[in-house]
Amino acid sequence: MGDPRPLFDDEARKWDGLYRDSPGARWGLLQGYAQRRVRGRMALCLSLLPDVAGLDVIEIGCGPGHYGGRLIGEGARWTGVDLSSRMLSICRATTGSGRLVRADAVRLPLRAASCDIMLCIGLLSYLSRAEIADLLEDARSIIRPGGLLLAQTVRFDPITWVRCRLPRAVPRPVRIPGPFHPRNPRTIARLIAASGLRLERTVPYRKFLVYPAGTIYLARRE
């Protein structure tokens, strides 16, 4: 996926600010709305997981670590993986414990059958289709038989298209940084099936009560 470290190093504190009750520099007047959306997505994703107490959970693209903090609090043995050193620094302060690994999402230095649950939230939309396929193949190896993958992608809508395809026409606070690709759920479903994982459920969620914002995928290793 190239080298996204400078991008996400620069974005680390701004993403962290979405999960905290403090003003943020990136979204300006839209900060409150962005915070509600991000926190709502986190609550939805976590509600779809089984009881994690005593389970090994790996989060690929862990960012500032707020999912990890919640999962550790619920008794999971959590490992966070991210390529950005600044994200991992904030993540350590957020979680207080857990294992952190600095690595590229498509070159994972993780042992086979080393987790019960894997999370990929806010990550796949930054990868090409070939990179998503590689990550899903790795996931199938890393997840134990019977284990679960929870992944999320952003869906196409006109607003998102403008934000990520016409960056010069979009003000900085609402511009989507980096190489960003909204994904059709059917595309992700096909890639999950091709990896050998079994797709159990898809959960769409919306924004502005009208537009489809994204899709959450639950897949099982048999």
Side-chain angles (χ1 to χ4, degrees), residues 112-132:
S114 58
C115 76
D116 302 293
I117 298 173
M118 179 180 286
L119 304 182
C120 297
I121 300 164
L123 170 66
L124 298 188
S125 295
Y126 287 95
L127 304 180
S128 69
R129 292 187 188 185
E131 288 170 334
I132 294 172

Side-chain angles (χ1 to χ4, degrees), residues 9 18 20 85 90 94 117 127 131 147-148 155 165 175 192 195 203 219:
D9 281 352
L18 288 176
R20 301 186 186 276
S85 57
I90 293 173
T94 300
I117 298 173
L127 304 180
E131 288 170 334
L148 185 69
R155 291 193 59 172
R165 292 288 189 257
R175 184 185 309 163
I192 288 173
S195 75
V203 180

Side-chain angles (χ1 to χ4, degrees), residues 42-207:
M42 181 169 72
L44 175 58
C45 288
L46 294 177
S47 75
L48 297 172
L49 296 177
D51 183 1
V52 299
L55 299 184
D56 292 303
V57 180
I58 294 176
E59 183 179 355
I60 311 299
C62 63
H66 292 273
Y67 284 79
R70 288 277 300 272
L71 292 165
I72 290 169
E74 294 174 10
R77 293 185 293 271
W78 178 83
T79 296
V81 180
D82 208 291
L83 188 56
S84 167
S85 57
R86 290 186 189 174
M87 284 287 195
L88 291 176
S89 177
I90 293 173
C91 186
R92 172 58 69 201
T94 300
T95 62
S97 61
R99 176 188 174 214
L100 298 179
V101 177
R102 186 166 176 259
D104 193 317
V106 294
R107 299 180 186 86
L108 294 173
L110 302 172
R111 293 183 293 106
S114 58
C115 76
D116 302 293
I117 298 173
M118 179 180 286
L119 304 182
C120 297
I121 300 164
L123 170 66
L124 298 188
S125 295
Y126 287 95
L127 304 180
S128 69
R129 292 187 188 185
E131 288 170 334
I132 294 172
D134 289 343
L135 174 56
L136 291 172
E137 287 185 11
D138 283 349
R140 186 183 181 281
S141 171
I142 295 165
I143 298 170
R144 295 175 181 134
L148 185 69
L149 169 71
L150 187 151
Q152 172 267 341
T153 58
V154 171
R155 291 193 59 172
F156 172 86
D157 68 72
I159 294 175
T160 299
W161 188 91
V162 170
R163 290 174 65 201
C164 65
R165 292 288 189 257
L166 301 175
R168 293 183 180 179
V170 178
R172 177 70 174 87
V174 295
R175 184 185 309 163
I176 297 179
F180 193 85
H181 312 281
R183 294 296 181 191
N184 188 303
R186 291 190 295 274
T187 299
I188 302 301
R190 286 194 295 267
L191 292 170
I192 288 173
S195 75
L197 295 166
R198 176 171 56 84
L199 183 61
E200 290 190 336
R201 186 181 178 190
T202 60
V203 180
Y205 59 97
R206 296 182 176 274
K207 61 183 176 182

